[in-house]
Amino acid sequence: TTPSSSSSTTTPSSSSSTTSSSTTTPSSSSSTTSSSTTTPSSSSSTTSSSTTTPSSSSSTTFYNNTSSSTTTPSSSSSTTTPSSSSSSSSSSPIPRCDAPQGGVREEIRGTLVESKTIVFTEGDDDGDVNPDELVVGKKHNTGLKMSIIKFDLSELIKNQQEENIWIYESNIFVTVKDGSEGKTWKSQITKLHPVAVPWDEISTNVGQLTSEQNIDESTGEFNELTKEINRNKKIRTDFTETIQKWISPFNKNKNQDYYGVALVSHYTDGSDEREDAKDVRYYSFTNDTEVEEDFLPWIDVCYKKVEIKECNDDYGKVVTNVVSSVVLVKDGDETLTQTNETLTHGKDNDGKKYRTVLKFDLEQFSEKFKTYQIDESFVHLNYLGPSNEDSPTQRTVSVYKITSPWTEDDVTWENLEFDEDKPYGTLIIEKSRLGGTEVTIPIHELARDWIEEGGVDNYGIVLIDDAEDDQGSTPQYAHDDTEPYHYAPEMSICQKTIVSTTPTQIITTTMPVTDRIATQTTPMVVYEPACESKVKEPIEKMKVWVVNDTVVVDPDDYDPEDRTLCVSTNEIAIKFCWDIKGKCKKMQRRDIFGKIETECKCCLPKLKTVETETFDCFVDNKNPIKRTIPIEKIQSCNCMMCARDAETGDSTGMEKVEENLIIDQDGRAATMLLL
């Protein structure tokens, strides 16, 4: 409780609403008689009184917070923990993270046996493992120093692999020792950096120790040390972003390799980190029982186990990528189509309505004959958080099947056609949901329908909020992976191969009974497509020539000043049809009048709906101009009458390449020949 309040109440795991009062956060420096604090999930309300959560506290002369803030999304109301630092009585408790509803808080401390530290010095080949103290910074006549702490996270990582966990909040605690070495003190900040490589691969060459070769970008920092420490000083900072690098809230498959966290000193005046000054020294792990336990490095972690839908053990997961994503917006009578924007659904606080349209690539399921069985299927989205963090709203999203073709250029709120009567999947997005996590929406029946039909009617899905007319905060999802720790939408399909065998047949012969009876097993007949689409290797950027906004096939037919070279921004996979098994045949037969008929089939493409790609177009060899160019892509390949148009069925244009074969006089059908 906060000593300065006139009355205080400790409310474990509750959330109280207040009247006519201001609100302070759990780790704020102090509270006054007229202020009150709302705890995460209470049912009672108080007026003109002060209420603090169990983990809220004023900063003491020992612990101080950073200038950054941490949001704990697990509370039923949005609770922000500003990390201001001030001092009060030494009786205030240590700042702690708050366990989410249904979760736990755990402290991870270490000894030399189960955890280890190391200090690297620029210019020295080897690091000092498990030293008596951790050192950062640069003093005269020594190289720049960087220290690494590796906490024992093995149990947390194991829990995530076996049961899935989300870490909502975490703190790191260290103690600055008195006795800095060097000539002149300079104000400095110690920053946290996840280590990027194993310790034996860290380069200590001058200029490389604190480079991206060894460590990742900073994920946190302690408060500035403006003056030299003359007595032990305990400090803390947020560790949530750092630990989530190794225990990703999105997916356990996104975890980075864990090599520890580096402590790196930065001068606050912007001067080079290799400039001589006094260094900063911290307590390291020790088995010395005379050293206070809280002086040693430690962390607290608040997390909970969550259920994430995955394929059953008998089924393998096939992941398909999103090929198109669009956000449809309706603002009163006006509508807007947005591409390359954050995905969302529902009605926001400004009164705008949103729907998200997605289409996934089901090319690999284009054949109707299946040698596999489909179980469950899911749409995966990367939830970033609510549009309004101060007042998140619980939302329910449903998935509807789009029933007609569309493109990003022409789809609108009004013309999108979908089956409004049947939602194929539904999921609740709780307002306390942790940002950065994976949203998994089941669409089992819809995926089976698509795949059974060879993906021919796969026009995608639209995500619509069940309370589309209710104004409030809307959930935000990543639309691509261009930003760090953003992941594009995916669709996963759980499938297993069907093993087909025929019953064993017993062959009875007139052989003597002393001979063994032979048995035969008919081998499984595996379907192979008549012709397949292949990808031209290597996959490269596409080059096209444009004349008067029309892509031309042969640029030599046009004058150089009339044509423009355009190069695609990204590599584009170019497919072709290949009858590798020679199953598209030429065959002959007699009609009912005895005339010879010849039928030629070729491996021909079926084209996708026109898609657009971004190109850099070079006019007069100046800076390129961005433009989108529609292109057609091969969707599948099939045996069809040669020279027949895949869309119209017109077979005009067929050329005779050789004379018809004459059927033998004995009346047998001619042998089928390859084209």
Side-chain angles (χ1 to χ4, degrees):
T1 59
T2 307
S4 59
S5 57
S6 59
S7 64
S8 63
T9 310
T10 300
T11 314
S13 259
S14 69
S15 96
S16 55
S17 59
T18 63
T19 306
S20 302
S21 60
S22 63
T23 300
T24 60
T25 53
S27 61
S28 61
S29 58
S30 63
S31 61
T32 66
T33 56
S34 62
S35 67
S36 63
T37 300
T38 303
T39 57
S41 59
S42 107
S43 53
S44 62
S45 62
T46 61
T47 305
S48 300
S49 64
S50 172
T51 305
T52 59
T53 62
S55 62
S56 66
S57 65
S58 305
S59 302
T60 70
T61 54
F62 297 106
Y63 281 94
N64 66 316
N65 303 333
T66 67
S67 58
S68 62
S69 64
T70 302
T71 301
T72 309
S74 61
S75 57
S76 57
S77 62
S78 179
T79 304
T80 305
T81 309
S83 306
S84 61
S85 77
S86 62
S87 61
S88 65
S89 68
S90 59
S91 61
S92 298
I94 298 172
R96 303 172 185 269
C97 65
D98 292 321
Q101 188 174 19
V104 297
R105 176 184 178 274
E106 181 177 324
E107 295 181 0
I108 299 179
R109 302 175 182 266
T111 66
L112 291 180
V113 175
E114 60 190 27
S115 304
K116 57 183 178 180
T117 55
I118 190 169
V119 176
F120 285 101
T121 303
E122 204 166 59
D124 293 351
D125 292 335
D126 300 318
D128 183 9
V129 180
N130 293 332
D132 293 334
E133 57 187 4
L134 305 176
V135 187
V136 296
K138 172 78 166 63
K139 70 175 184 177
H140 185 62
N141 288 333
T142 67
L144 176 68
K145 293 183 181 293
M146 175 183 77
S147 296
I148 298 175
I149 306 173
K150 190 172 183 182
F151 296 101
D152 184 7
L153 303 182
S154 57
E155 284 301 314
L156 285 177
I157 294 174
K158 180 181 177 182
N159 285 340
Q160 187 202 32
Q161 294 297 321
E162 294 179 352
E163 302 180 89
N164 295 304
I165 62 172
W166 289 347
I167 295 179
Y168 280 73
E169 192 180 355
S170 180
N171 298 290
I172 182 172
F173 305 82
V174 294
T175 303
V176 185
K177 299 179 67 174
D178 59 349
S180 296
E181 297 183 5
K183 293 184 177 180
T184 305
W185 175 261
K186 292 189 67 170
S187 295
Q188 51 194 288
I189 292 174
T190 299
K191 294 188 176 183
L192 306 177
H193 295 261
V195 181
V197 295
W199 291 4
D200 58 2
E201 296 180 16
I202 287 180
S203 172
T204 56
N205 296 333
V206 175
Q208 294 182 344
L209 180 61
T210 58
S211 71
E212 61 183 12
Q213 177 178 340
N214 294 331
I215 58 177
D216 293 334
E217 293 183 0
S218 175
T219 51
E221 61 184 44
F222 294 98
N223 268 6
E224 179 183 2
L225 298 176
T226 57
K227 58 184 179 180
E228 184 178 353
I229 302 301
N230 53 21
R231 62 171 180 163
N232 294 335
K233 180 180 179 65
K234 298 178 182 178
I235 59 176
R236 64 162 286 277
T237 192
D238 183 78
F239 199 58
T240 311
E241 182 181 352
T242 309
I243 197 171
Q244 285 180 348
K245 303 290 186 183
W246 310 308
I247 305 175
S248 171
F250 178 74
N251 188 299
K252 57 190 174 186
N253 297 321
K254 304 297 185 182
N255 292 350
Q256 293 184 8
D257 292 332
Y258 176 51
Y259 304 117
V261 58
L263 306 183
V264 179
S265 182
H266 296 261
Y267 296 128
T268 56
D269 63 3
S271 57
D272 187 271
E273 60 184 350
R274 290 170 182 81
E275 185 176 314
D276 287 345
K278 284 195 171 185
D279 57 23
V280 180
R281 295 171 179 262
Y282 298 91
Y283 277 90
S284 181
F285 294 124
T286 180
N287 290 326
D288 187 351
T289 56
E290 294 184 0
V291 177
E292 182 182 332
E293 184 181 31
D294 282 345
F295 283 175
L296 311 184
W298 62 284
I299 59 175
D300 68 349
V301 185
C302 292
Y303 66 94
K304 72 175 180 180
K305 297 177 182 178
V306 293
E307 181 182 5
I308 298 179
K309 294 291 186 180
E310 296 180 299
C311 294
N312 297 325
D313 293 339
D314 295 338
Y315 289 80
K317 182 169 76 171
V318 178
V319 176
T320 63
N321 298 321
V322 66
V323 294
S324 190
S325 63
V326 174
V327 178
L328 305 179
V329 187
K330 187 172 184 180
D331 185 6
D333 295 331
E334 297 182 2
T335 60
L336 179 66
T337 300
Q338 297 178 338
T339 58
N340 299 319
E341 296 287 345
T342 301
L343 309 179
T344 187
H345 52 80
K347 188 175 185 179
D348 67 10
N349 290 315
D350 295 329
K352 296 180 180 179
K353 293 183 183 179
Y354 299 89
R355 293 175 178 176
T356 289
V357 178
L358 301 171
K359 184 178 179 181
F360 298 94
D361 183 8
L362 297 182
E363 170 82 14
Q364 58 188 305
F365 300 101
S366 60
E367 297 296 338
K368 291 187 178 182
F369 186 94
K370 302 298 182 292
T371 58
Y372 45 81
Q373 177 181 336
I374 303 299
D375 182 29
E376 297 179 323
S377 298
F378 305 93
V379 171
H380 304 271
L381 303 174
N382 181 195
Y383 175 69
L384 304 177
S387 60
N388 186 345
E389 294 185 355
D390 294 332
S391 58
T393 304
Q394 179 169 296
R395 292 284 187 176
T396 300
V397 60
S398 293
V399 177
Y400 295 87
K401 176 183 178 181
I402 299 176
T403 55
S404 62
W406 56 275
T407 67
E408 293 182 356
D409 291 334
D410 58 26
V411 65
T412 65
W413 186 286
E414 291 86 359
N415 67 17
L416 181 69
E417 298 179 2
F418 61 94
D419 185 356
E420 303 180 37
D421 299 326
K422 184 176 182 180
Y424 282 84
T426 300
L427 187 73
I428 296 175
I429 310 297
E430 298 176 346
K431 62 182 180 180
S432 62
R433 187 182 186 93
L434 178 65
T437 53
E438 180 180 21
V439 170
T440 304
I441 309 175
I443 55 166
H444 313 321
E445 181 183 352
L446 176 56
R448 283 194 289 266
D449 289 347
W450 276 339
I451 293 170
E452 286 301 318
E453 294 299 322
V456 293
D457 64 344
N458 167 31
Y459 304 119
I461 58 175
V462 57
L463 307 181
I464 301 179
D465 201 288
D466 284 8
E468 194 173 50
D469 294 325
D470 292 351
Q471 192 164 316
S473 177
T474 61
Q476 310 287 295
Y477 311 97
H479 71 283
D480 62 19
D481 56 2
T482 55
E483 295 187 35
Y485 308 107
H486 282 204
Y487 305 100
E490 291 180 340
M491 176 179 172
S492 66
I493 299 163
C494 307
Q495 71 171 42
K496 68 177 177 181
T497 302
I498 300 173
V499 179
S500 175
T501 59
T502 57
T504 301
Q505 298 178 348
I506 300 177
I507 300 177
T508 305
T509 71
T510 57
M511 297 172 62
V513 294
T514 55
D515 291 342
R516 298 180 61 185
I517 297 175
T519 61
Q520 293 181 344
T521 300
T522 302
M524 184 184 80
V525 177
V526 179
Y527 173 79
E528 294 178 344
C531 63
E532 298 179 276
S533 62
K534 300 290 184 181
V535 177
K536 180 180 177 295
E537 299 289 350
I539 299 176
E540 299 175 326
K541 293 184 177 181
M542 179 182 290
K543 297 180 181 178
V544 297
W545 291 92
V546 177
V547 176
N548 295 329
D549 293 329
T550 302
V551 176
V552 298
V553 176
D554 190 353
D556 294 334
D557 292 342
Y558 301 88
D559 295 331
E561 62 271 15
D562 294 333
R563 66 194 187 197
T564 301
L565 175 64
C566 297
V567 181
S568 64
T569 305
N570 302 312
E571 290 81 6
I572 299 177
I574 299 177
K575 296 183 179 181
F576 61 95
C577 292
W578 188 14
D579 184 13
I580 187 173
K581 297 294 184 181
K583 291 193 173 186
C584 298
K585 306 288 186 178
K586 180 177 74 175
M587 61 182 297
Q588 288 182 312
R589 60 181 174 270
R590 288 188 185 274
D591 62 14
I592 59 174
F593 303 104
K595 274 183 83 172
I596 295 175
E597 293 181 331
T598 301
E599 184 180 83
C600 298
K601 287 192 174 183
C602 300
C603 185
L604 298 178
K606 180 175 181 181
L607 299 179
K608 286 184 177 180
T609 303
V610 174
E611 297 182 0
T612 57
E613 297 284 350
T614 302
F615 284 75
D616 293 318
C617 294
F618 299 85
V619 181
D620 298 329
N621 294 321
K622 296 180 181 179
N623 293 331
I625 299 174
K626 295 283 186 184
R627 63 174 295 179
T628 56
I629 297 178
I631 60 175
E632 289 185 315
K633 294 183 179 179
I634 293 177
Q635 179 178 18
S636 60
C637 299
N638 297 287
C639 281
M640 293 184 286
M641 289 294 293
C642 298
R644 173 169 292 177
D645 186 278
E647 298 298 329
T648 65
D650 183 10
S651 60
T652 58
M654 181 183 295
E655 297 180 3
K656 183 190 292 186
V657 294
E658 61 178 277
E659 295 297 327
N660 288 341
L661 294 178
I662 305 301
I663 293 181
D664 296 337
Q665 296 299 320
D666 59 8
R668 291 179 300 164
T671 304
M672 293 195 299
L673 302 177
L674 295 177
L675 281 175

